[in-house]
Amino acid sequence: MRRLLLAAPFTLLATPAHASTGEAVNPWVALAYLVSGVFFILALRGLSSPATSRTGNRFGMIGMLIAVVTTLVTHVPTSDLSDYEVISVFGLGEILIAIALGAIIGITIARRIAMTAMPELVAAFHSLVGLAAVLVGWAAYLNPGAFGLLVGDSIGTVSKVEMGLGIAIGAITFSGSVIAFAKLSGRMSGSPILLPARHVINLGTLAAIIVLTALFAMAGSSETMPLIVALTVLAFLIGFLLIIPIGGADMPVVVSMLNSYSGWAAAAMGFTLGNTAMIITGALVGSSGAILSYIMCRAMNRSFLSVIAGGFGADAGAGGGEAKEQRPYKQGSAADAAFMLEQAEKVIIIPGYGMAVAQAQHALREMADILEEKGVEVKYAIHPVAGRMPGHMNVLLAEAQVPYENVFELEDINSEFAQADVAFIIGANDVVNPAAKTDKSSPIYGMPVFDVDKAKQVFFIKRSMGGVGYAGVDNDVFYMDQTMMLLADAKKMVEEIVKALD
Amino acid sequence: MDFISILSIFVLACFVGYYVVWSVTPALHTPLMAVTNAISSVIIVGALIAAAAADVPGAKWLGLLGIVLASVNIFGGFAVTARMLAMYKKKERK
């Protein structure tokens, strides 16, 4: 009864569409999905500047609301569809409970998560999209009638290809993201796990998935079950195998890549359902992730294939690193640093993953505030691969209320180091390593880096001299005449500098 | 819709995506990932269809589970994006 009441207002709108076929007969329904897709485009468009981004996010929510309401209106069985009424166990009520459950979990996580944990949160969210795609693909396989996929009494061949691809991409996204999440959150070691003959295994598995998809598409309806089961299992396996050999430093690329996959999974499902909103979204998200992966690879001067092949950081540095003698370096104290920062006219701060780990962003902003009050110009320089995901450092600085006008990208600020009195490196390492410019044998050769060696004075906050960056290479900046090493936890050191400045 | 119309929409949308994403400022790349995460959960449409149809219980349960997962993502994704974007402030000092 309750279900009937809830459904009643929708009855009028629902009648022209057939709930029994996934395809919307009503042109208004198709239009609604198109509008929803357009809102998603506007959501991304809004991100072109922080000023318009909040409106953009709202557009995204509106688009989602339109898509969900349209689907509910056209597909929830109402009283006039008698063939469903009798056997209907679930209706709008159960669906709303499922949505509410997801909403509570989602909003709770979104409120509580620390900004430093954003990379693993995004990875976890990717895995959910992937798993949802697998579930939808399977649901469509089990109940093709509801999705309008029946040609005669079996599923159409094209639909089966789309379904197979959707399930495969979804499963890869899921298991890949689970591994990425485990590595990013420290539940699993960030170092690459290299299986013998992994390339052969991976390529073989991928080929098997493609063959299975083809077999699945061509098989008669009675023989499809074992094929789709095998397809799903292999896809879960390959997602796992693809990510375990990739090291922690390459996670920004992996997270972007999985972002892209989750889009392609949505697009494949959109093809299956003939749904415009899903196809547009899938294409948007797919290209978004692909572009981000490209930007990350370019910022490391590595090819996408070499990142995906994995193993980076596992054996690098093992060659010459050990033999190197202890080189002399200067160590300073917080008081030394405070004194010189006060005297400076221009300070450029380079944050890296170490700042995130130490949660030093708030202390850093406090330090910058004091310096600005004393008339020092403070700018922040951010490398595209700083942190564990694209834009990670920007979010942390924004969290510490650093105005975004003071934060600059690599290519915009690199020429300014020559005029800077102090380059203040906090938790970054490889992105300031001059070996990337000079040493052809270095694993990071060719990577664009900050020209900190041009600054008059360099402060390098680092926990100890022992650790090296992710690339596992020594950094000449440590030993330069104008470099002063500040060996301590980033947050403690900055707090001490703040005290010394007062 | 026939396959070619769907493919046309898809190909054109890829181009739109290409240009729109390149225009996103690098400072907002993390919110970009969070919001793309949220919108890719439009896959909930498929889960809703499965859950709304009553004839195959297995498909229905998969659909309902899909709704829960996608909703976590939708609400979580938009909420966390909003939280991040709220932090991007202009200089408010003199």
Side-chain angles (χ1 to χ4, degrees):
Chain A
M1 188 59 206
R2 180 182 48 113
R3 186 173 65 74
L4 258 169
L5 280 176
L6 276 166
F10 296 142
T11 317
L12 255 181
L13 259 167
T15 20
H18 291 288
S20 56
T21 67
E23 218 145 314
V25 180
N26 187 341
W28 291 106
V29 173
L31 192 65
Y33 285 127
L34 179 62
V35 170
S36 150
V38 171
F39 271 113
F40 291 146
I41 296 175
L42 292 175
L44 298 200
R45 186 77 189 93
L47 291 174
S48 57
S49 101
T52 54
S53 60
R54 283 168 278 258
T55 319
N57 196 36
R58 252 167 259 136
F59 280 143
M61 296 182 202
I62 296 171
M64 189 60 73
L65 188 68
I66 293 174
V68 169
V69 169
T70 307
T71 313
L72 286 178
V73 166
T74 47
H75 286 87
V76 169
T78 49
S79 52
D80 54 344
L81 297 162
S82 51
D83 50 337
Y84 280 136
E85 203 197 17
V86 189
I87 42 170
S88 172
V89 191
F90 304 101
L92 195 56
E94 287 75 7
I95 289 175
L96 289 181
I97 290 172
I99 293 179
L101 189 62
I104 293 169
I105 301 172
I107 291 176
T108 313
I109 297 172
R111 287 230 177 111
R112 296 218 178 134
I113 192 83
M115 283 299 144
T116 40
M118 206 46 78
E120 52 257 41
L121 178 73
V122 167
F125 277 170
H126 285 154
S127 74
L128 296 184
V129 181
L131 192 55
V134 175
L135 294 178
V136 172
W138 264 88
Y141 169 73
L142 294 174
N143 190 3
F147 287 81
L149 302 178
L150 288 177
V151 178
D153 55 359
S154 63
I155 311 173
T157 311
V158 178
S159 300
K160 280 200 284 192
V161 174
E162 294 160 350
M163 198 184 281
L165 283 179
I167 291 177
I169 303 173
I172 294 173
T173 311
F174 171 73
S175 51
S177 300
V178 168
I179 301 299
F181 169 77
K183 288 198 171 195
L184 286 166
S185 61
R187 286 176 174 80
M188 185 176 159
S189 156
S191 56
I193 299 168
L194 302 174
L195 299 178
R198 63 197 149 92
H199 296 311
V200 180
I201 299 175
N202 291 353
L203 290 176
T205 316
L206 280 179
I209 289 174
I210 293 167
V211 171
L212 280 171
T213 311
L215 289 175
F216 170 66
M218 292 182 299
S221 50
S222 57
E223 323 159 324
T224 49
M225 183 60 101
L227 292 171
I228 192 172
V229 171
L231 177 73
T232 313
V233 171
L234 276 187
F236 277 128
L237 184 69
I238 188 74
F240 174 75
L241 290 175
L242 280 175
I243 309 303
I244 54 166
I246 304 180
D250 284 342
M251 279 301 138
V253 182
V254 170
V255 174
S256 314
M257 182 184 82
L258 292 167
N259 184 238
S260 181
Y261 287 0
S262 69
W264 303 132
M269 286 301 148
F271 273 91
T272 316
L273 305 183
N275 184 297
T276 332
M278 276 164 93
I279 293 170
I280 295 179
T281 315
L284 288 178
V285 179
S287 20
S288 161
I291 290 172
L292 290 176
S293 320
Y294 168 76
I295 294 175
M296 294 298 110
C297 287
R298 191 182 55 180
M300 297 192 293
N301 191 39
R302 315 233 340 254
S303 76
F304 185 67
L305 274 180
S306 86
V307 173
I308 296 312
F312 192 72
D315 39 21
E322 316 291 313
K324 254 183 194 150
E325 80 288 8
Q326 281 283 321
R327 292 157 70 185
Y329 61 89
K330 271 180 264 172
Q331 190 178 343
S333 69
D336 300 334
F339 176 75
M340 280 157 110
L341 283 167
E342 263 180 319
Q343 308 297 315
E345 268 172 39
K346 180 170 184 170
V347 173
I348 301 179
I349 299 173
I350 302 159
Y353 185 59
M355 180 192 79
V357 174
Q359 298 267 16
Q361 65 269 31
H362 299 281
L364 188 67
R365 136 104 199 204
E366 227 181 296
M367 183 188 94
D369 276 354
I370 298 175
L371 289 176
E372 283 185 329
E373 271 166 36
K374 293 179 189 278
V376 183
E377 183 188 6
V378 180
K379 288 184 171 180
Y380 297 81
I382 298 190
H383 195 278
V385 292
R388 281 292 176 275
M389 74 185 295
H392 191 188
M393 289 299 125
N394 302 80
V395 170
L396 295 182
L397 292 180
E399 186 197 13
Q401 300 183 321
V402 171
Y404 59 80
E405 295 103 322
N406 292 4
V407 182
F408 297 86
E409 300 301 314
L410 170 68
E411 59 266 36
D412 298 327
I413 200 166
N414 218 4
S415 58
E416 293 186 29
F417 281 100
Q419 294 102 51
D421 299 294
V422 174
F424 191 89
I425 303 161
I426 170 166
N429 190 349
D430 292 335
V431 299
V432 298
N433 194 335
K437 292 184 285 188
T438 52
D439 180 5
K440 283 208 171 124
S441 64
S442 170
I444 58 169
Y445 180 72
M447 170 171 152
V449 290
F450 291 114
D451 299 328
V452 289
D453 44 335
K454 295 200 176 128
K456 287 196 196 82
Q457 172 74 43
V458 177
F459 289 116
F460 208 124
I461 301 191
K462 205 169 175 306
R463 236 174 312 176
S464 69
M465 287 305 285
V468 281
Y470 266 92
V473 284
D474 207 1
N475 193 339
D476 284 338
V477 171
F478 303 159
Y479 316 108
M480 294 191 310
D481 284 342
Q482 72 267 44
T483 302
M484 189 178 276
M485 300 301 296
L486 304 171
L487 299 179
D489 172 78
K491 189 178 174 186
K492 263 197 210 124
M493 178 53 76
V494 177
E495 281 170 351
E496 276 171 35
I497 295 176
V498 168
K499 257 186 235 150
L501 279 171
D502 274 338
Chain B
M1 258 193 290
D2 62 304
F3 182 73
I4 290 300
S5 337
I6 298 179
L7 189 65
S8 315
I9 296 174
F10 177 68
V11 172
L12 293 177
C14 283
F15 278 93
V16 172
Y18 180 84
Y19 289 105
V20 169
V21 172
W22 270 117
S23 74
V24 172
T25 167
L28 293 176
H29 276 162
T30 296
L32 171 69
M33 297 196 95
V35 84
T36 49
N37 226 317
I39 64 172
S40 60
S41 302
V42 71
I43 204 150
I44 195 173
V45 166
L48 288 170
I49 295 173
D55 38 3
V56 182
K60 181 186 295 297
W61 280 110
L62 291 180
L64 280 174
L65 184 57
I67 293 176
V68 176
L69 297 181
S71 305
V72 170
N73 231 326
I74 292 171
F75 287 92
F78 282 126
V80 89
T81 310
R83 200 181 131 198
M84 278 191 273
L85 293 178
M87 302 184 315
Y88 283 81
K89 295 259 165 59
K90 282 197 163 199
K91 223 182 275 190
E92 79 292 311
R93 272 166 292 141
K94 53 271 160 189

